[in-house]
Amino acid sequence: KNPQANEPRSVVLRSVVAMASSRLLRRCAVISLLLALLLACAPQTVLLLNRALVLSLALSPAVLLSPAAAASSTIQQCLFLPALRHALGRSAALTKWGQWAATRPDLVPPSVCEALSVLHAHAPAHAAAISRAEVEAATGASIEDYFDAWEDEPLVSGSIGQVHLARLNGSAVAVKVRHPRVGAELEADFRLLELLARAVDSVPGLRWLDAQSTVKQFGWALQRQASLEEEARWLRLGGRNFEGLGGGL
């Protein structure tokens, strides 16, 4: 073989490798810059991007099945609705939306309402240690010192928080504890829901869901229900209104 004949090929190969390496370095530099900017952003922005990724992965099966579900009741019942229930259970905001949508047959197809009604009684609960830490931080005392009795197993768990039974000064009480990070996640999830609803309604095959209308209606209720202070205010008002009727509130 003639070494001089192979020399042009070697030069070309080295040039190609050099160009590829240069492109890779430039891409790495861009990625590094984007990561640096991301880390410099506000924590809310980082949380929003993270939630966008999590919710996109959770919702993608239901979104992909939606056009077929609109045309086939079998696909809707067997594939779309189970996928939708699973996706909504991955987020407090989505769980709350599912609970709300299940009560609105005027906005949501009846079959979807029936399927989402399951979410009223099956919201995930957080660990008992988290509830203890939250209550002790709020009261400034240990559970054993503040309450006469306390049940670690929650009585019920919803999209916003869970309820523990306890006894305080000889009376039975219900203590509601908000789920960890639920406030920040609710805000991020709702902002993403608004963007997602616009995207869904822009696809002809998905317009039957009327996503923007339901998200707008849901937003007002979500903002009020996410505040335990607001809930406590209404409970006190109800207690005063029904005072003297027996049973207590």
Side-chain angles (χ1 to χ4, degrees):
K1 296 181 180 180
N2 186 357
Q4 293 182 348
N6 293 330
E7 185 174 350
R9 295 182 180 178
S10 299
V11 172
V12 171
L13 180 60
R14 286 196 297 269
S15 299
V16 171
V17 171
M19 291 175 61
S21 299
S22 178
R23 290 178 180 177
L24 180 61
L25 289 175
R26 286 198 298 270
R27 290 178 181 177
C28 289
V30 171
I31 293 174
S32 299
L33 178 60
L34 291 175
L35 288 175
L37 292 174
L38 179 62
L39 293 175
C41 288
Q44 292 81 0
T45 303
V46 177
L47 176 61
L48 188 65
L49 294 174
N50 178 66
R51 294 298 293 172
L53 176 60
V54 171
L55 297 184
S56 296
L57 293 175
L59 288 167
S60 56
V63 172
L64 292 174
L65 287 167
S66 293
S72 170
S73 59
T74 300
I75 293 177
Q76 183 181 116
Q77 292 293 330
C78 297
L79 297 175
F80 171 74
L81 293 178
L84 182 62
R85 282 196 301 266
H86 175 75
L88 297 185
R90 300 292 300 274
S91 157
L94 293 180
T95 300
K96 179 63 71 176
W97 179 86
Q99 293 172 345
W100 172 84
T103 66
R104 296 302 303 269
D106 57 320
L107 294 174
V108 181
S111 59
V112 179
C113 290
E114 183 179 357
L116 297 184
S117 63
V118 176
L119 295 173
H120 285 289
H122 296 282
H126 61 251
I130 295 176
S131 289
R132 283 179 165 266
E134 289 291 325
V135 173
E136 289 176 353
T139 60
S142 68
I143 291 289
E144 289 73 19
D145 290 339
Y146 193 83
F147 294 99
D148 303 329
W150 172 272
E151 293 188 12
D152 280 329
E153 186 69 22
L155 175 66
V156 66
S157 179
S159 58
I160 304 298
Q162 62 192 45
V163 175
H164 294 266
L165 294 181
R167 295 196 70 84
L168 179 64
N169 299 326
S171 300
V173 295
V175 182
K176 187 170 184 178
V177 183
R178 195 178 349 228
H179 293 313
R181 301 177 301 278
V182 71
E185 290 186 357
L186 277 172
E187 182 180 354
D189 289 356
F190 182 67
R191 291 171 61 188
L192 290 171
L193 279 174
E194 291 179 319
L195 296 175
L196 178 62
R198 294 179 187 175
V200 168
D201 284 348
S202 68
V203 179
L206 305 181
R207 289 175 184 167
W208 65 281
L209 293 172
D210 194 16
Q212 288 191 81
S213 177
T214 56
V215 167
K216 287 178 181 178
Q217 291 284 335
F218 161 68
W220 180 84
L222 174 66
Q223 292 172 357
R224 296 179 67 85
Q225 293 183 31
S227 171
L228 296 187
E229 292 79 8
E230 180 78 4
E231 183 175 344
R233 185 175 72 85
W234 283 108
L235 285 173
R236 286 192 292 268
L237 178 60
R240 288 196 298 269
N241 290 340
F242 290 95
E243 188 176 2
L245 296 182
L249 185 62

